[in-house]
Amino acid sequence: DTMSNGIKLSLISLIALLTPLISDVPEKEASSTPDTLWYKTYLTGKSMALSPDGDLLAAPEGFNGIAVFNRNDGQHVRTLKGHTAPVNTVAFVPNGELLASGSDDKTIRLWRLSDGSEAYRIDAKDRVLFVTFSPKGRRLASIPGGAPSVLIWDVNTRSLERVFSDVPIGAFSQLAFSPDGNFLAFTTLIGTVEIWDVITGSRSYVLQGHRDISTAVAFSPDGTVLASAGFDNTIRLWQWQAEREIQVLHGHEGPVVALAFSPDGKLLASGGGDRDNTINVWDAQSGSLLKTLQGHQDSIRTLAFSPDGQYLVSSGLDGSIKVWNVATENAVRSIQGEVFPIYAVVYLPVQKLVAWSGDGPGVHLVWASDGNPVKVLAEEYRFITDLAFSGDGAWLAFTQRFT
């Protein structure tokens, strides 16, 4: 082993270590606090989705899984496995029967919630950063990791229906369909919000106001108002079809990265990013700040109201999902996973394995064909930032950050 500048380089032999093991579903353990359930896995915090009936929560977990929880009691229902690379985004089909997931393995997969099996997949031919369904579930919009574009897929035929090309979209961008499904809004790297006609494929409206990257967007339930958020610490309300800004809401001390309207359209929730891990609840009509919910220890990533509007669900980069009673401002349920940023992913062609590592212990080996776990190597090491394998797959070298 060698050390320099806070990095440790190690070399281990793999010849005696690549014995496949059967991996069980991660166990659950309740903490001493009744409303907090500790889940022995790594909830990445990248995304979270609430089912249309409000009963189920889904979130990416670990290297390539998706955890499904019961929203009412926080219990783990099942883990969906099949992706061969990290999962970035999840979304429920509006009828609640299927869950979609987008991954770095360049696929969008649809899962049956009844038994956890894969219904079908779409070959996206690029990393998938974000997915969302049209209100009737006929179309699926996605953001690819390569070319600056937005893709519209026909869910029934699983074919690419339309491409919005050369748009200023980035890793922080989000998508939202209008309630009638005819328009798609998305945030951009240049601070604008673009709204495109899904039927004609033309850019219809451009909303200009944010002074930095725009990050989140949401339509009011009646479709008359659009809310946007950005790195300029503001939320802006628009009469979008007139391209007119109605109000600017100030209340966060850092970037605002998540938005959600209540089902009746009376409330708007916003989630803070870096330096501001709070959730603000606003009167959507007057713009008055009504409540501030505190509890997350890192950036908020997603927000969703329950169908009756009584509860607000949030996920954050602290690896937790919280269910808030909006009236009492209390977190009535918290699902707390360990946080495990992933630093390195490499493919071993000889063994047909994928290896990955991160803040947590060891180098994880999974089958490239289905993503199922094989073995964890070097479990005594943490913070493994880079991986390299010899050509014959017999030796592994890795660098480890240490303090």
Side-chain angles (χ1 to χ4, degrees), residues 172-174 186-188 191-193 209-218 226-238 249 252 254-260 268-273 282 303:
F172 289 101
S173 295
Q174 294 183 16
F186 54 85
T187 56
T188 70
T192 58
V193 176
H210 287 289
R211 296 183 176 88
D212 205 333
I213 295 171
S214 56
T215 55
V217 64
L226 181 141
S228 64
F231 272 29
D232 60 0
N233 305 358
T234 69
I235 301 114
R236 296 172 188 263
L237 302 181
W238 309 83
L249 309 183
H252 287 280
V256 187
V257 294
L259 293 171
L268 174 67
S270 60
W282 310 80
L303 296 169

Side-chain angles (χ1 to χ4, degrees), residues 185-209:
F186 54 85
T187 56
T188 70
L189 293 171
I190 59 176
T192 58
V193 176
E194 296 197 2
I195 303 169
W196 288 58
D197 188 309
V198 175
I199 309 302
T200 66
S202 60
R203 181 189 286 111
S204 300
Y205 308 98
V206 178
L207 309 180
Q208 301 182 12

Side-chain angles (χ1 to χ4, degrees), residues 37-163:
L37 278 81
W38 283 88
Y39 185 60
K40 288 188 175 179
T41 188
Y42 301 102
L43 298 176
T44 65
K46 291 180 180 179
S47 177
M48 179 273 298
L50 180 66
S51 62
D53 62 8
D55 288 341
L56 296 177
L57 295 166
E61 68 161 344
F63 172 65
N64 60 350
I66 302 153
V68 180
F69 299 95
N70 185 303
R71 193 263 300 177
N72 299 302
D73 60 16
Q75 293 296 323
H76 177 250
V77 176
R78 61 173 48 91
T79 294
L80 309 177
K81 285 284 190 179
H83 282 292
T84 58
V87 178
N88 298 314
T89 177
V90 291
F92 283 94
V93 175
N95 66 12
E97 295 179 358
L98 299 174
L99 176 76
S101 58
S103 166
D104 282 351
D105 66 6
K106 303 181 181 181
T107 67
I108 299 169
R109 305 194 187 209
L110 279 293
W111 308 86
R112 297 182 185 90
L113 294 170
S114 57
D115 60 7
S117 63
E118 182 181 317
Y120 57 87
R121 72 182 67 174
I122 296 172
D123 180 7
K125 303 186 186 309
D126 201 344
R127 296 169 55 227
V128 183
L129 304 182
F130 191 91
V131 296
T132 190
F133 283 96
S134 62
K136 293 183 178 179
R138 255 202 64 214
R139 295 182 175 92
L140 174 73
S142 68
I143 299 176
S149 59
V150 175
L151 310 180
I152 307 292
W153 304 88
D154 185 304
V155 174
N156 294 325
T157 64
R158 305 167 211 173
S159 60
L160 185 61
E161 181 178 296
R162 198 171 296 285
V163 179

Side-chain angles (χ1 to χ4, degrees), residues 166-324:
D166 299 321
V167 293
I169 208 159
F172 289 101
S173 295
Q174 294 183 16
L175 309 170
F177 278 96
S178 60
D180 62 8
N182 293 331
F183 294 92
L184 182 72
F186 54 85
T187 56
T188 70
L189 293 171
I190 59 176
T192 58
V193 176
E194 296 197 2
I195 303 169
W196 288 58
D197 188 309
V198 175
I199 309 302
T200 66
S202 60
R203 181 189 286 111
S204 300
Y205 308 98
V206 178
L207 309 180
Q208 301 182 12
H210 287 289
R211 296 183 176 88
D212 205 333
I213 295 171
S214 56
T215 55
V217 64
F219 284 95
S220 62
D222 65 5
T224 60
V225 174
L226 181 141
S228 64
F231 272 29
D232 60 0
N233 305 358
T234 69
I235 301 114
R236 296 172 188 263
L237 302 181
W238 309 83
Q239 285 184 345
W240 57 278
Q241 289 179 308
E243 296 182 324
R244 185 173 76 86
E245 186 178 274
I246 307 169
Q247 293 188 72
V248 181
L249 309 183
H250 299 273
H252 287 280
E253 297 180 359
V256 187
V257 294
L259 293 171
F261 276 98
S262 60
D264 62 8
K266 294 181 179 180
L267 301 177
L268 174 67
S270 60
D274 185 32
R275 304 185 307 277
D276 182 341
N277 310 322
T278 63
I279 300 165
N280 285 340
V281 180
W282 310 80
D283 183 307
Q285 183 66 34
S286 68
S288 301
L289 178 59
L290 303 177
K291 308 170 188 290
T292 297
L293 310 179
Q294 297 180 318
H296 282 285
Q297 303 303 309
D298 205 336
S299 173
I300 311 300
R301 288 308 295 266
T302 48
L303 296 169
F305 277 94
S306 62
D308 60 10
Q310 294 184 28
Y311 298 96
L312 177 68
V313 184
S314 61
S315 72
L317 291 183
D318 58 0
S320 72
I321 299 172
K322 298 183 184 295
V323 181
W324 306 85

